[in-house]
Structure formats: structure tokens, C-alpha cells
């Protein structure tokens, strides 16, 4: 089974700092999931941009995402916490289900996963327990 999520919207705004210097931004995104997780989500990231002269290749961003739908056919919602790195070669990251965030048939959900890709559709893995 292929597990993917696809970006539906991305709204990013600089919070503080100049366009050509160190700054941070807030991004609100929505995604559609398919595979083990089926559903839709809303996600918020804090992004850091170092500005001109930075020689590193990736940045990191924390985020929280609430997913509504199902996991392996069980319906409900849950929240995950992301740690994502991003750069010219795409995104890579890990996520963890926030303890106590599961609702409906997903109450008590726990688990971790990975994400990775370089387009609007990204692959994910998800190891979970109920």
C-alpha cells in the first residue's frame, strides 16, 4: 500500500525579520491523506529562513497537524507533532501522535511516522497502536 498526503493549500506569512535577512514565518496548510490514513487535515508550521549568505542546505520546522478521517478503517481525529527539515531537495521529517489527542474510534491512538518527498504529494510511514 502506498501512503501519501497531498498539499491542498499553503498560506505563509513572515512574522518577523527582513526578506533578505534572518526571519521566521508562520505557514498554515491543508492536506489530503490516502493509504493507511484516509482524511483531511489542517497544519501549522513555524519556519526559519537564515537570509543571504547562509551556506547550509536545509532548515528545520516544528509543526502541529490535526487529521480528521480514519486510520486503518477506524474513524476519528488526532493531532501529530512534526519535526521537518526542508530545502531545495524537498522535505524529510518525523512525526509523533500527541498523547490524548485521539477521538472517536481513535481514542488512545499512539504512534510515530516519517515523511519525505520533493513535490506536493509526499510519502509517509505510520507505526501506530490503539
Amino acid at each position: 500500500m502506498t501512503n501519501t498526503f497531498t498539499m491542498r493549500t499553503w498560506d505563509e506569512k513572515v512574522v518577523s525579520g527582513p526578506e533578505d535577512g534572518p526571519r521566521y514565518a508562520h505557514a498554515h496548510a491543508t492536506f489530503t491523506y490516502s493509504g493507511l490514513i484516509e482524511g483531511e487535515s489542517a497544519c501549522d508550521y513555524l519556519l526559519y529562513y537564515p537570509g543571504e549568505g547562509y551556506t547550509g542546505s536545509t532548515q528545520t520546522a516544528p509543526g502541529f497537524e490535526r487529521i480528521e478521517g480514519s486510520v486503518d478503517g477506524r474513524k476519528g481525529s488526532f493531532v501529530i507533532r512534526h519535526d521537518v527539515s526542508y530545502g531545495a531537495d524537498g522535505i524529510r521529517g518525523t512525526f509523533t501522535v500527541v498523547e490524548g489527542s485521539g477521538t472517536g474510534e481513535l481514542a488512545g491512538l499512539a504512534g510515530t511516522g516519517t515523511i519525505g518527498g520533493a513535490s506536493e504529494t509526499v510519502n509517509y510511514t505510520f507505526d501506530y497502536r490503539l
Side-chain angles (χ1 to χ4, degrees):
M1 172 189 312
T2 301
N3 298 313
T4 62
F5 64 92
T6 302
M7 181 175 51
R8 291 182 15 236
T9 64
W10 181 271
D11 181 28
E12 183 176 331
K13 293 184 175 43
V14 172
V15 174
S16 183
E19 281 296 317
D20 61 346
R23 65 194 180 283
Y24 77 97
H26 169 258
H28 178 75
T30 58
F31 302 106
T32 300
Y33 278 79
S34 64
L36 181 63
I37 301 170
E38 293 281 340
E40 298 190 353
S41 72
C43 183
D44 288 282
Y45 289 109
L46 286 178
L47 306 165
Y48 172 72
Y49 298 101
E52 294 179 16
Y54 176 71
T55 59
S57 60
T58 63
Q59 301 301 311
T60 59
F64 282 95
E65 179 176 8
R66 183 172 181 270
I67 301 169
E68 293 185 61
S70 64
V71 174
D72 206 16
R74 295 183 177 115
K75 294 182 180 180
S77 66
F78 60 100
V79 175
I80 58 177
R81 186 195 188 291
H82 286 275
D83 287 302
V84 178
S85 63
Y86 58 97
D89 61 343
I91 65 168
R92 301 273 179 263
T94 60
F95 64 86
T96 303
V97 174
V98 174
E99 185 176 350
S101 68
T103 67
E105 295 175 315
L106 299 176
L109 180 69
T112 60
T114 63
I115 65 171
S119 69
E120 289 183 2
T121 298
V122 175
N123 293 321
Y124 72 87
T125 66
F126 186 38
D127 295 315
Y128 75 94
R129 60 197 168 283
L130 274 168

